[in-house]
Amino acid sequence: MKTLKSVEEDRKKYYKKKNINTVHRSSLLVPRLLNNQTYISFVNHYLIKRGYSDIVMKVFPFDINGKSGDAITFKIDQAKVYTFNLDKLFEGEFFYNCYQIEFFTSENLFIPYPAVMVNHINENSINTVHAYNRILNDAREMEKIDEIEVLEASIDLILNNKKDTFIILQTGMIALQNENLEMHFLSNNNKNPSFKKNINISIPKMSIKKINLSSFFKDADKLNIIPGDYTVKVKQPKQPIFYGRLLVGVENKESNSFSANHSYYDNSNNKEYFNNKKSYKTMPYFSKFINKLHIYPIMSPGHGYFSLYINIKNGEIIKPYLLEKQKFINDKSTLLFDTEALINQSNITGDIKTFTLVYESSNEYKAPSRVNYQLVYGPKIENGVNSSINVSLFNDEVFVPSTKDSKVWCQMLNKKGYEALLGICFIDDFDKDPKQKHEVHLDIYDEKGLIKQLDINLNILDNYVVSNKDFKSESPFIWIFAKCKKPNLLMETF
């Protein structure tokens, strides 16, 4: 892991000198999962944002022994959404269980991670996760990535007779032979014991291994473990020239439907702080749906408070209302915010647009450089498999160039039988001017190109919601590209 301060230093260098440590290869690894079709989807932001027209994408398949098949190359030169069914690209050949996607250009890509969404589709679910692991570009990058060794965390553990939680480990260019995978299950209450398990891992290069976490519990079908009961941390085997998170998900045992996202760093043994005490983030609120936050003890040591606000619109004014404030020990506490339950308890009514989470350190402590939590959106379905995504709070010390505007893009599902919602807001808290309106321009793309344009006016704390039903398109994935002269624009979708 790189410290956040190292990340910030590199960002400042790039802003001043565009020819330092230029990036010309951007890549990701994609696992193939049993009973699922494997898709990748991306909008050509290389062309739309930067004007690059010489992008080439190369796709490599790897079989169960880690042996590569013939690669296929595509030129990426149109302002549209590109969607590829990776399994069909290599249909009729060997069974491939992993793919490597690489983008090349003579221009500077700046970031070695492409904005590509990995989508696994089966009869009962569609799962989406941003690119989360890859083969590194060079030894210098490996030195940067390996600055600090940390465990993987940000895992919501759910175990009962209908649901299980799994992790998927990915290998890079070198096979793992008799390596050790450490599983830490740290209980957050008195009813469950804490324990650690070591697993001997031997798998070929460029391969995956799925591990069901129920296998570590006796009589797992009789348990009812919910998010917050355990903090789960995983120590992966170290791999050279490789950067990777774990794919972590919750699955329905009967239907094989699942929802998964990637793990994130455990920072509880890393003492890194900003010089101020406050971090924050405002997020879209979706009425009649689940809006939850799960906070685990994976931050730099310290003490503080988490405050949750909802932001209610009355006429042209949006005002924050405090729902709850809780003490928090960064490397020991667990905190769950169920926004709907708190709203019902408070008897608050009105047009809720967004909700804001604020962390403030107490006494002599300062705000950790990474304050993380799990953001959960989803429908209120009894047997649903809502999973969560790791989110970091923003801090005013994060480098934002004076000329910085917002250019953000997001995939939205557009599959028959599914409704997808996407919310757009600014991450700012209520210390900013809530009355000032900002113009946001939206370009909506599908596989044919630009299909719709919208101009909206957005206040601080406001939220603009779109649905896939707002657009006429036959593409399974559409992408929204948002531009605004004000920085800190955010989009969330489910």
Side-chain angles (χ1 to χ4, degrees), residues 467-479:
S467 166
N468 63 312
K469 296 179 180 179
D470 297 337
F471 315 113
K472 293 182 179 179
S473 172
E474 297 299 317
S475 298
F477 307 103
I478 58 179
W479 281 71

Side-chain angles (χ1 to χ4, degrees), residues 298-312:
I298 59 171
M299 289 163 267
S300 297
H303 291 236
Y305 296 86
F306 276 103
S307 300
L308 179 64
Y309 297 82
I310 53 170
N311 304 306
I312 301 178

Side-chain angles (χ1 to χ4, degrees), residues 56-237:
V56 168
M57 183 185 80
K58 201 169 183 179
V59 184
F60 293 84
F62 294 87
D63 67 17
I64 57 175
N65 297 311
K67 184 178 179 181
S68 174
D70 293 327
I72 302 177
T73 300
F74 300 88
K75 189 169 178 60
I76 308 300
D77 58 359
Q78 297 181 54
K80 67 172 190 175
V81 172
Y82 286 83
T83 302
F84 296 90
N85 183 328
L86 301 181
D87 303 333
K88 284 194 173 182
L89 280 182
F90 304 97
E91 201 169 34
E93 301 184 40
F94 298 103
F95 179 85
Y96 295 110
N97 73 339
C98 173
Y99 304 97
Q100 180 171 236
I101 321 297
E102 297 179 300
F103 296 85
F104 297 95
T105 181
S106 60
E107 304 286 354
N108 188 0
L109 294 171
F110 294 97
I111 300 172
Y113 249 129
V116 173
M117 303 306 292
V118 177
N119 302 281
H120 290 98
I121 301 178
N122 64 37
E123 291 183 0
N124 298 305
S125 65
I126 299 174
N127 188 71
T128 293
V129 59
H130 192 281
Y132 63 95
N133 55 23
R134 63 189 174 87
I135 303 298
L136 299 178
N137 288 347
D138 51 44
R140 182 187 180 278
E141 192 180 12
M142 185 174 72
E143 290 171 1
K144 285 273 189 179
I145 292 296
D146 288 345
E147 239 177 69
I148 299 174
E149 186 175 3
V150 293
L151 304 183
E152 295 298 312
S154 298
I155 299 170
D156 277 334
L157 180 62
I158 301 175
L159 295 178
N160 55 45
N161 63 342
K162 294 182 179 179
K163 297 176 186 176
D164 200 349
T165 302
F166 63 85
I167 62 172
I168 291 179
L169 174 69
Q170 172 82 50
T171 51
M173 297 189 300
I174 299 174
L176 295 178
Q177 297 288 348
N178 294 317
E179 295 286 347
N180 186 50
L181 181 78
E182 277 185 17
M183 301 290 306
H184 299 258
F185 295 87
L186 308 174
S187 177
N188 297 320
N189 54 46
N190 294 324
K191 68 177 183 178
N192 301 311
S194 297
F195 61 95
K196 183 178 84 170
K197 292 285 186 179
N198 292 303
I199 312 166
N200 185 272
I201 298 289
S202 293
I203 50 178
K205 66 182 179 71
M206 304 302 276
S207 297
I208 61 169
K209 182 175 181 61
K210 181 183 179 185
I211 301 171
N212 286 82
L213 300 192
S214 60
S215 63
F216 302 110
F217 291 81
K218 185 179 179 181
D219 298 325
D221 286 347
K222 298 178 182 178
L223 299 174
N224 184 27
I225 295 174
I226 61 175
D229 285 349
Y230 278 96
T231 298
V232 182
K233 300 182 182 183
V234 184
K235 184 177 182 180
Q236 297 189 79

Side-chain angles (χ1 to χ4, degrees), residues 359-370:
Y359 173 90
E360 293 180 272
S361 59
S362 59
N363 300 327
E364 74 277 14
Y365 298 101
K366 295 179 180 178
S369 60
R370 288 182 169 103

